Amino acid sequence: MLIVGCPGSGKGTQSSRLLKKYDFNVITAGDLLRHHIEQGTPIGRRASEVIRSGGLMPDEIMMELVGKEVEALEDQDWLLDGFPRTLGQAILLDRSLEERGRPLDLVVNLDVPEDVILERILNRWTHLPSGRVYNLSFNPPKVAGKDDVTGEDLVQREDDNAETFSKRLRSFHQLTEPMLDHYREKSKRTSRGGKEKEEELFVNLRGSTSDEIFPHLDELVRTRFPDLVKSLSRRPCSSSSSSSSSSSRLKSNLKARFEG
């Protein structure tokens, strides 16, 4: 499954809320890039420059980064957040997945008004080591400027400002809209069993807040992925433990990439 949308539309928030309810893996393209930036790799240094300019990374490099994570999960369930962002990336991803016999099941687009998103971004603070995000408007930290779990300092990302947001919006409309059209056109899909199904591959969810959108997203996931719902009754640990475990698996994979 993919979750896509305009920068700041709440992809990470919605992914985290799903992860608290269901047992699956989340791959966040932004986290992959941030790990490279923190490590000072050639890709990381290039990514830092691109982010400051409000641009997007080249398709082939992003596919290489994300593709390794997808392949590492083999036959496990996963949700991809923040990738693909261009038509070229979508075509590369589709080709890779179809070659492995595991095409996409669902693409969800978060359709949030741009003025709402800008307000969110200007009030957004992040705990960089964990990726936890707070918003001064609707999800403030318990102690101003501090992470609720560790007590460490929160920061505003260098791209969380009106000027960069405007540039990212221009890039989004220019480069990402063709990708959305690509999945709209693939909306009617053929199941793995070869029978035509009236399920749409691409689903647009519109709303101004995460609370407004999430019930519709939750119902969509329950309908499309009944095996995830069944896994709830078999889960031996709490939702928060499962979320932490999935996050730890991703961080372990990332660490292995660099140490390898």
Side-chain angles (χ1 to χ4, degrees), residues 8-22:
S9 58
K11 298 183 292 294
T13 298
Q14 299 292 3
S15 298
S16 297
R17 293 182 72 167
L18 286 175
L19 195 57
K20 290 177 181 179
K21 297 192 65 173
Y22 306 106

Side-chain angles (χ1 to χ4, degrees), residues 72-83:
L73 293 175
E74 297 180 347
D75 293 333
Q76 300 178 53
D77 296 309
W78 52 261
L79 178 152
L80 189 50
D81 166 7
F83 182 92

